[in-house]
C-alpha cells in the first residue's frame, strides 16, 4: 500500500494536469475561473478574490468590472 502523503501528492499533480488539459481543450475565459472561485468561497472583495486566485489586484479589478458589465456579478460596498 502506498504512503498517503505520496498518494495525495500524486492526486494534486494529476488534478493540475487535468485542469490544464481542460483549459487547453475548451479555451475557457478567465471569467469562468472567477465565477468558480466565487461559487466556492462566496462573496469576496476584489483584493481577497485576487489573493485566492493568486493574481494581481489590478488584473482582478478589470476582470470583475468586465463580469459586472456583462451582468454576471454585482458589485457592492464592503459591509464593514
Amino acid at each position: 500500500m502506498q504512503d498517503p502523503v505520496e498518494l495525495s501528492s500524486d492526486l494534486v499533480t494529476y488534478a493540475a494536469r487535468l485542469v490544464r488539459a481542460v483549459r487547453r481543450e475548451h479555451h475557457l475565459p478567465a471569467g469562468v475561473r472567477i465565477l468558480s472561485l466565487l461559487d466556492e468561497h462566496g462573496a469576496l472583495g476584489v483584493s481577497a478574490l485576487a489573493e485566492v486566485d493568486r493574481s494581481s489586484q489590478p488584473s482582478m479589478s478589470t476582470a470583475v468590472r468586465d463580469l459586472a458589465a456583462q451582468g454576471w456579478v454585482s458589485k457592492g460596498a464592503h459591509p464593514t
Side-chain angles (χ1 to χ4, degrees), residues 1-73:
M1 180 174 209
Q2 278 189 302
D3 175 37
V5 173
E6 186 179 329
L7 285 172
S8 63
S9 177
D10 288 347
L11 178 61
V12 168
T13 300
Y14 291 124
R17 288 178 184 166
L18 176 62
V19 167
R20 285 191 301 270
V22 167
R23 285 183 180 160
R24 277 193 306 269
E25 183 68 28
H26 296 287
H27 305 291
L28 298 174
V32 172
R33 183 182 72 252
I34 294 167
L35 293 173
S36 174
L37 289 170
L38 290 170
D39 181 58
E40 180 181 349
H41 297 281
L44 295 172
V46 171
S47 296
L49 190 55
E51 185 177 327
V52 170
D53 188 49
R54 297 183 196 154
S55 63
S56 70
Q57 190 275 335
S59 294
M60 187 57 69
S61 290
T62 300
V64 169
R65 184 181 64 234
D66 292 346
L67 287 171
Q70 296 172 34
W72 287 93
V73 297

